[in-house]
Amino acid sequence: MNDPTAHGIRIRPGGPADAPAILEMLDAAVAWMNARGNTEQWGTVPYSLTAGGTERVEGYTTLNWPWIAELGGVPAGALVLDTGPSPKMPIPAAEEPERYVRLLVSDRRHAGLGIGAALLRHAAEETRRAGVELLRVDCWAGGGGELVAYYERNGFTATDRFVSGVWPGQVLARRIA
């Protein structure tokens, strides 16, 4: 849990006190995506101002398993694990125990340092510690599939495609030995 990576990333359990930092990262991610012309993935409204956004993040920090990546003691990324996909998404539960990445976000000021990859490795470790062999995630499948490719580079395999409203999505899975 506290093993730093080559960039000095430390991953620790998250909690309710981390909700403001997570919301700040999500708001910055929306602004960054919009600046790159991506208004479809998360829309154009800051996440903290979307209907239910703040409450969803607060729930992640109290009802799920949140993990915070820190650089120099400052939050630089967040991961939330659960036992399955959001019931609001058209994704069936797995037919076996699983861990599910419900949220992965990193602070854009630290792009390129491998924060997201470190958090995904941590998710795999936590899945293994729980005695579970399946780790899944879903993501936006639009924009040429760059996000899907990111997860594939991090050990996941694309499985089921889905559509939520007009939002194209992809479920990816990773077997944990």
Side-chain angles (χ1 to χ4, degrees):
M1 174 172 61
N2 292 317
D3 295 339
T5 68
H7 294 288
I9 300 167
R10 176 183 172 263
I11 299 175
R12 63 164 174 81
D18 295 302
I22 296 170
L23 282 166
E24 184 178 313
M25 285 184 256
L26 288 166
D27 285 351
V30 170
W32 176 76
M33 284 187 265
N34 288 180
R36 296 179 66 221
N38 177 349
T39 59
E40 298 171 2
Q41 184 175 347
W42 285 356
T44 58
V45 176
Y47 195 88
S48 61
L49 299 178
T50 61
T54 298
E55 293 80 10
R56 189 168 18 266
V57 168
E58 289 169 351
Y60 285 158
T61 64
T62 58
L63 303 173
N64 302 109
W65 296 301
W67 297 94
I68 304 297
E70 293 182 333
L71 285 173
V74 177
L79 166 85
V80 175
L81 286 175
D82 200 349
T83 58
S86 169
K88 295 180 181 181
M89 296 299 280
I91 302 167
E95 295 180 5
E96 64 184 279
E98 69 176 315
R99 289 296 180 265
Y100 205 95
V101 176
R102 292 282 295 274
L103 174 71
L104 177 68
V105 64
S106 61
D107 187 324
R108 295 307 312 158
R109 294 174 292 189
H110 304 294
L113 295 182
I115 293 166
L119 285 164
L120 289 172
R121 283 191 303 273
H122 187 77
E125 291 169 16
E126 288 299 314
T127 301
R128 186 177 298 108
R129 278 189 202 114
V132 175
E133 297 178 0
L134 178 63
L135 175 62
R136 292 196 307 161
V137 64
D138 65 79
C139 69
W140 185 60
E146 295 95 352
L147 191 53
V148 172
Y150 171 80
Y151 284 108
E152 289 174 333
R153 286 191 307 273
N154 281 280
F156 289 82
T157 301
T159 58
D160 303 312
R161 298 218 22 141
F162 66 93
V163 176
S164 179
V166 297
W167 195 84
Q170 177 70 56
V171 177
L172 298 102
R174 179 175 172 186
R175 284 282 163 198
I176 306 299

